[in-house]
Amino acid sequence: MTTLKAIDLRAPRLEDGFSIHRLIEACPPLDPNSSYCNLLQCSHFSDTSVIAIFDGKPVGFVSGYVIPNTNTLFIWQVAVAESVRGMGLALRMLLHILSRPYCRKIDHIHTTITENNRASRALFERLANTLSSKLSVADWMDSEVHFEGRHDSEPLISIGPFDPLTILTEKYNENF
């Protein structure tokens, strides 16, 4: 039986890229990127991304990057294999990224979540609560203006400001 503590978290490596691509493909409604994009996420953005491994296979992935000239981490995608959903893995992966030395100055998080993705919205509400911060929503990428009507609008979700040291408190440790 899979338990949260049995899942290892680490920075992704280039050789993880294609297996991450397959994981994301298996996690609708996530938009699959090109495998090349996932390879770049595993190399260029490995400090702000995480892979979750159970029994030698990826069961979770979060990609992100620091928005240039800010203390804001933009979370690009969160993927969790169906077999381990509902265990708190997504929150654990987000907190894992924030706990890294590279992210010690991060005091805001941004992401986009379509209106119909209730699971992702709930995840980021839990993250805001864990960080003792507020979550706000603003219009950002419009279906018609930015996607020619081929994709749902992507509102901008903002969390912050928060104290970067918050993740080192008991709240952080409860999630591990």
Side-chain angles (χ1 to χ4, degrees):
M1 179 173 164
T2 308
T3 65
L4 192 57
K5 291 193 184 258
I7 298 172
D8 293 320
L9 303 182
R10 64 169 169 77
R13 298 184 288 255
L14 186 60
E15 57 269 19
D16 296 318
F18 202 77
S19 62
I20 287 169
H21 181 74
R22 291 288 181 232
L23 173 67
I24 292 169
E25 283 182 329
C27 292
L30 292 180
D31 294 325
N33 297 298
S34 70
S35 58
Y36 183 80
C37 175
N38 297 130
L39 289 164
L40 292 177
Q41 290 169 323
C42 291
S43 55
H44 294 181
F45 302 110
S46 63
D47 287 334
T48 51
S49 298
V50 63
I51 186 171
I53 304 288
F54 178 73
D55 200 23
K57 296 182 178 98
V59 293
F61 179 65
V62 174
S63 58
Y65 60 89
V66 176
I67 298 173
N69 304 310
T70 73
N71 289 340
T72 302
L73 177 65
F74 187 91
I75 298 299
W76 187 338
Q77 267 184 329
V78 177
V80 176
E82 190 171 345
S83 63
V84 295
R85 289 184 189 155
M87 298 173 58
L89 178 59
L91 181 61
R92 182 177 173 221
M93 289 189 295
L94 289 166
L95 292 170
H96 181 85
I97 292 169
L98 289 171
S99 73
R100 294 180 183 163
Y102 187 86
C103 294
R104 287 287 159 84
K105 293 184 180 181
I106 297 298
D107 59 10
H108 285 79
I109 294 172
H110 286 176
T111 194
T112 62
I113 303 172
T114 57
E115 291 293 330
N116 61 351
N117 192 337
R118 288 177 175 50
S120 288
R121 184 68 63 100
L123 166 63
F124 282 89
E125 288 170 355
R126 284 191 307 276
L127 179 60
N129 184 52
T130 300
L131 297 172
S132 300
S133 188
K134 67 176 187 158
L135 180 145
S136 61
V137 181
D139 291 340
W140 195 35
M141 294 179 183
D142 180 77
S143 176
E144 295 303 320
V145 173
H146 301 103
F147 298 111
E148 297 181 344
R150 298 178 186 184
H151 190 286
D152 291 339
S153 294
E154 294 267 0
L156 180 66
I157 309 299
S158 299
I159 298 173
F162 56 86
D163 180 354
L165 296 179
T166 299
I167 60 165
L168 301 176
T169 67
E170 290 177 24
K171 286 183 182 181
Y172 174 72
N173 293 325
E174 287 172 7
N175 292 292
F176 291 87

